[in-house]
Amino acid sequence: MPLRKKYDYRIADIRVGRIVIGALVAVIQLVAYQVLQQYNMARMDSVDSWDVALSLDAALPLVPEFAFIYFLYIPGLIVPALLDMPFTLYLRYALSLVLSVLIACVCFAFVPLKIIHDTFVCADWSCSALVMLRSLDAGVNILPSLHASQTLLAAIVMVTASQIHGVRTFWWAWGLFLYLPIIASTLLTKQHYVIDIVAGFLVGVITWKLALLFVGDEHVVDEEPEVDAA
């Protein structure tokens, strides 16, 4: 029995195999990110950070409310697991996420970059998410932006599922409209530079291509493609 038919099964309309794989990928990513953050916070005291800021970075305003959108990053990556796509296509997506983390960690470890946050005073509720964000993310793991690379991968896999496998759902539309605001939030919360986003997009494209070498070409229409109900 083909891999995608053997393990791509349903329980209460949730693809269990995808959820399990997604959870493992999330754990790997969170652990790797935190380890590199602790390492970089320690080494930044003894090395000079590169200045990669552009004039556009300075021109962009700080919009604290976008921190709420910034936190939708992980939920946004879960959306593809809810779609009725072939297992091999989802496996390519999951592998692309892992590869993007590996490439990013290498860059984090060897490229000395750090976001310097300007002090701001705000007691309003609208700033609460930004305060929390800056307490969790020290701004030392920034190039490439995983927000950019992985939301791009999520968008790619959903477009592929739509165009090749006929997947049309509420999740498909909602996900695509979510990813652009998430990417914008990285700049409007001053957690990333523009060059981080560009590098993130590049990593996303590279890892999507690399994953194909391991899972094979899924660009073949199913004999009886299933269509999710809206």
Side-chain angles (χ1 to χ4, degrees):
M1 182 180 293
L3 180 66
R4 73 193 223 181
K5 297 299 183 183
K6 183 177 181 181
Y7 294 106
D8 199 21
Y9 55 90
R10 290 177 183 267
I11 292 182
D13 292 327
I14 297 297
R15 298 286 187 173
V16 176
R18 297 174 188 163
I19 298 299
V20 171
I21 291 174
L24 291 174
V25 171
V27 170
I28 292 172
Q29 176 166 330
L30 290 173
V31 170
Y33 190 90
Q34 287 301 317
V35 169
L36 264 297
Q37 178 166 260
Q38 294 301 318
Y39 167 75
N40 279 327
M41 288 175 64
R43 79 181 180 114
M44 284 302 173
D45 293 333
S46 58
V47 299
D48 293 329
S49 175
W50 295 357
D51 184 6
V52 297
L54 304 175
S55 56
L56 178 58
D57 292 300
L60 290 172
L62 172 65
V63 185
E65 292 82 357
F66 265 82
F68 292 102
I69 298 175
Y70 191 96
F71 284 121
L72 294 179
Y73 160 56
I74 294 297
L77 299 183
I78 296 172
V79 173
L82 306 178
L83 300 186
D84 190 17
M85 69 178 73
F87 184 81
T88 47
L89 178 58
Y90 182 76
L91 191 61
R92 182 180 180 184
Y93 169 61
L95 183 56
S96 298
L97 295 180
V98 173
L99 291 173
S100 68
V101 172
L102 292 177
I103 292 175
C105 285
V106 171
C107 294
F108 296 159
F110 292 100
V111 180
L113 290 177
K114 181 179 181 180
I115 287 279
I116 304 299
H117 293 132
D118 294 330
T119 302
F120 76 99
V121 177
C122 177
D124 192 80
W125 69 268
S126 62
C127 299
S128 58
L130 182 60
V131 172
M132 180 183 298
L133 171 59
R134 292 189 175 178
S135 68
L136 296 174
D137 191 338
V140 291
N141 295 345
I142 62 174
L143 188 151
S145 166
L146 284 172
H147 273 64
S149 60
Q150 295 187 333
T151 51
L152 175 62
L153 288 169
I156 289 175
V157 76
M158 288 201 290
V159 169
T160 301
S162 171
Q163 293 183 346
I164 297 179
H165 302 287
V167 176
R168 294 282 195 280
T169 69
F170 163 79
W171 296 109
W172 176 84
W174 179 83
L176 289 183
F177 283 106
L178 174 68
Y179 296 139
L180 285 178
I182 288 176
I183 293 170
S185 74
T186 66
L187 299 174
L188 297 179
T189 57
K190 301 295 184 177
Q191 288 296 116
H192 281 283
Y193 295 120
V194 171
I195 193 171
D196 304 333
I197 306 302
V198 175
F201 288 153
L202 180 61
V203 168
V205 172
I206 291 174
T207 54
W208 182 250
K209 297 294 184 182
L210 285 176
L212 183 61
L213 301 177
F214 296 93
V215 302
D217 193 351
E218 77 287 336
H219 288 70
V220 177
V221 179
D222 294 339
E223 293 180 3
E224 296 181 6
E226 298 179 357
V227 179
D228 279 359

